[in-house]
Amino acid sequence: MDLLHSDSGHKEREIYSVQRLNQEVKQLLQQSFPLIWIEGELSNVAQPASGHVYFSLKDEHAQVRSVMFQHASRLLPFQPKEGMFVLVRARVGLYEPRGEFQLIVEQMEKAGTGILQRRFEALKRKLNNEGLFSSVHKQPLPPFPASLYIVTSATGAALRDILSVLGRRFPLPAIQVYSIPVQGEASANEIVEALQVINQRKDGDVIILARGGGSIEDLWSFNEESVARAIFASKLPVVTGIGHEVDFTIADYVADLRAPTPSAAAELVVPHARTVLETLEQHHDSANHLIRNTVSNLHQSVDWRSQQLEHLHPKLTVQRNKQLLIEMARRLESATMLQHSRLDNKFINLLFRFGKLSPKSHVHESNIRLTHLYKNLKNLLCTQMEQRNQKLESWARSLDTASPLATLSRGYSIVTLKNNGQILRETKQVSQNEKIMIQLAKGHLNARIE
């Protein structure tokens, strides 16, 4: 540190070196901020061979450079990726050689989808619910466009790729390039204006909206709602070729056709000249074949009609009609004989039926049925009488067995009180001098208790 006298001589000025300033600021940051948790979105992610992970942590309003050294990054259970929303535990520091404020990340956890990704999904759901992605609204591409517009950056690789493919495949269409910025704040408005102007001109058949690859931030203009609605409102079919195969934007979902790359968009819009020539040759061969078949069919038709004219000669017609009359007479005779035979059979059947309807026949049949019924009734009555007699005999035997008289006949007796006829079952029911009656099998006895 150098101490110098001030010009005024009142006090000395303390002059810092840049290194000392950075060192003291770094110490001050480390002392003021312990390990803290920070939430944000990953951007500009890089992971060189050293194993360290370099990235920016950002939100909608700010960003900060960050590093996660190899000893911490090797413990990550996932691969940090662009647009990932994370929660990091970090120390606040300063990279002294460049004087850059940075975060030194010790721990990282997934915290959900990034801010831009959440905005993307929300707009995607909204437009899908409105029907902007429906296949019902997709316009077909013209098979042979005579004029097409390319909406992209005039200095980008996407335009060179598209023009190269068009020149190689089908160099006939009139190509008009509408140059726009393909990223940045003004890009979305430029895309909307380009689509509107092209539709007002009404001199094109199809529009290619394209740009090369990039991060989600670079492609964000194609995720704006205004761009999506401009594509949907276009009267000309719009083909998108934005980014790489894995990149999907809102514009891709609304477009009439999405191509994975700008080059692929050019391939989808125009056919290959060789394929067109092959198709024309096939059509030429088909036309020749059709002409030959048509001429052959006409020759056959003329021959057939000539034969018909020969068959229509008057002499042949008279002969055919004569043979026809002979045949008809033969058929008429056969039909008359068949009809007579049918009438004879019908008459015989009627006589048989009349014989069956005679009263004498009915009386005879009724007598036979009555005789049969009488026999059946008599047999039924006899059977029932025999069954009932058997039941009565069975019931009589049962009554004899259960009858008190049968019991008395075996030497038993029934003793009852004289005055009320109560049956005596035990000695305590009677008292001295009380009269009783003893019922025997034959007759009864009167007695008195002593």
Side-chain angles (χ1 to χ4, degrees):
M1 178 179 66
D2 297 327
L3 296 176
L4 300 176
H5 292 285
S6 65
D7 294 339
S8 61
H10 294 296
K11 64 177 181 178
E12 295 177 344
R13 291 184 296 179
E14 184 178 5
I15 301 176
Y16 282 75
S17 68
V18 175
Q19 181 183 19
R20 179 190 170 192
L21 175 64
N22 286 352
Q23 288 176 343
E24 293 192 9
V25 170
K26 179 179 181 180
Q27 293 174 358
L28 182 63
L29 288 172
Q30 290 175 344
Q31 293 170 1
S32 301
F33 291 94
L35 282 170
I36 58 175
W37 288 98
I38 310 170
E39 186 179 53
E41 182 183 350
L42 297 181
S43 179
N44 301 317
V45 179
Q47 191 167 5
S50 63
H52 308 321
V53 181
Y54 299 95
F55 57 92
S56 294
L57 192 66
K58 67 177 185 178
D59 58 21
E60 293 179 326
H61 306 291
Q63 65 179 356
V64 59
R65 289 184 178 275
S66 307
V67 60
M68 191 174 194
F69 292 117
Q70 189 265 346
H71 73 276
S73 67
R74 63 186 176 86
L75 300 176
L76 280 174
F78 60 91
Q79 181 70 31
K81 294 181 180 180
E82 195 80 12
M84 186 178 289
F85 204 58
V86 296
L87 189 65
V88 300
R89 189 166 182 258
R91 291 182 285 107
V92 180
L94 188 79
Y95 184 60
E96 294 181 32
R98 288 199 296 267
E100 292 181 350
F101 169 66
Q102 68 177 3
L103 295 178
I104 301 170
V105 178
E106 299 292 341
Q107 186 178 348
M108 181 185 296
E109 300 175 0
K110 287 184 178 180
T113 310
I115 297 172
L116 291 178
Q117 188 65 29
R118 291 201 301 273
R119 286 174 56 190
F120 175 89
E121 295 297 336
L123 181 59
K124 180 181 174 183
R125 286 192 299 271
K126 175 184 175 182
L127 299 181
N128 185 44
N129 292 336
E130 292 183 21
L132 269 69
F133 302 165
S134 174
S135 59
V136 175
H137 303 297
K138 304 298 183 185
Q139 303 179 76
L141 301 185
F144 302 101
S147 174
L148 62 88
Y149 276 93
I150 304 173
V151 179
T152 188
S153 170
T155 59
L159 178 60
R160 294 193 297 272
D161 294 342
I162 293 172
L163 294 176
S164 174
V165 172
L166 293 176
R168 183 179 68 253
R169 286 176 61 88
F170 198 76
L172 297 180
I175 300 172
Q176 301 185 64
V177 178
Y178 199 115
S179 179
I180 58 164
V182 291
Q183 68 183 69
E185 295 182 359
S187 176
N189 292 333
E190 294 286 345
I191 296 172
V192 172
E193 181 181 351
L195 294 175
Q196 292 174 346
V197 169
I198 292 172
N199 275 272
Q200 290 172 358
R201 290 180 179 177
K202 300 180 180 180
D203 58 351
D205 295 324
V206 65
I207 301 172
I208 296 178
L209 178 61
R211 70 146 288 159
S215 66
I216 188 172
E217 294 91 345
D218 297 335
L219 301 178
W220 191 252
S221 299
F222 299 90
N223 291 322
E224 294 289 352
E225 183 174 356
S226 59
V227 173
R229 296 195 180 279
I231 294 173
F232 185 76
S234 175
K235 301 301 181 183
L236 297 179
V238 177
V239 178
T240 53
I242 301 168
H244 303 299
E245 292 186 11
V246 296
D247 297 322
F248 273 85
T249 65
I250 297 296
D252 291 319
Y253 290 105
V254 185
D256 298 291
L257 186 62
R258 182 254 177 188
T261 62
S263 299
E267 292 177 356
L268 292 174
V269 167
V270 296
H272 200 292
R274 182 174 60 253
T275 304
V276 174
L277 290 176
E278 291 175 355
T279 303
L280 289 175
E281 290 177 359
Q282 292 175 359
H283 288 322
H284 180 266
D285 293 340
S286 298
N288 286 336
H289 181 68
L290 179 62
I291 291 171
R292 287 194 297 270
N293 285 343
T294 303
V295 171
S296 176
N297 291 335
L298 288 174
H299 282 306
Q300 292 177 2
S301 178
V302 170
D303 292 340
W304 181 76
R305 293 185 183 280
S306 298
Q307 294 174 3
Q308 280 190 323
L309 287 174
E310 291 179 2
H311 284 297
L312 293 175
H313 192 279
K315 183 178 179 180
L316 293 175
T317 302
V318 171
Q319 291 178 353
R320 284 195 297 269
N321 288 339
K322 182 179 179 179
Q323 292 175 355
L324 181 61
L325 287 173
I326 294 172
E327 179 65 22
M328 291 178 66
R330 187 186 63 79
R331 291 182 181 181
L332 180 60
E333 183 180 358
S334 298
T336 303
M337 293 176 64
L338 180 61
Q339 184 67 17
H340 285 179
S341 177
R342 288 176 178 173
L343 290 175
D344 289 342
N345 291 335
K346 188 175 182 181
F347 180 72
I348 292 170
N349 289 335
L350 287 174
L351 289 178
F352 179 73
R353 290 173 62 186
F354 283 142
K356 283 190 173 183
L357 294 175
S358 172
K360 183 178 179 180
S361 175
H362 280 286
V363 170
H364 178 68
E365 291 178 357
S366 298
N367 286 333
I368 294 174
R369 283 198 297 272
L370 286 174
T371 302
H372 182 68
L373 291 173
Y374 172 75
K375 289 180 180 180
N376 289 343
L377 180 60
K378 183 178 179 181
N379 291 335
L380 180 61
L381 290 174
C382 290
T383 302
Q384 290 182 349
M385 288 297 293
E386 185 177 353
Q387 291 175 350
R388 290 179 180 177
N389 288 335
Q390 291 175 356
K391 286 183 179 180
L392 286 174
E393 291 176 1
S394 176
W395 290 342
R397 287 193 296 270
S398 298
L399 287 173
D400 288 341
T401 303
S403 173
L405 295 177
T407 304
L408 293 175
S409 66
R410 292 196 297 274
Y412 293 93
S413 62
I414 300 173
V415 181
T416 61
L417 292 174
K418 181 70 173 178
N419 60 349
N420 57 11
Q422 182 181 3
I423 297 174
L424 297 180
R425 293 182 175 83
E426 54 186 350
T427 57
K428 65 181 180 180
Q429 287 183 261
V430 296
S431 56
Q432 193 174 6
N433 295 325
E434 192 168 3
K435 293 179 179 181
I436 61 174
M437 184 177 67
I438 301 171
Q439 179 70 44
L440 303 174
K442 293 180 179 182
H444 62 275
L445 298 174
N446 292 321
R448 178 179 295 169
I449 302 301
E450 291 185 356

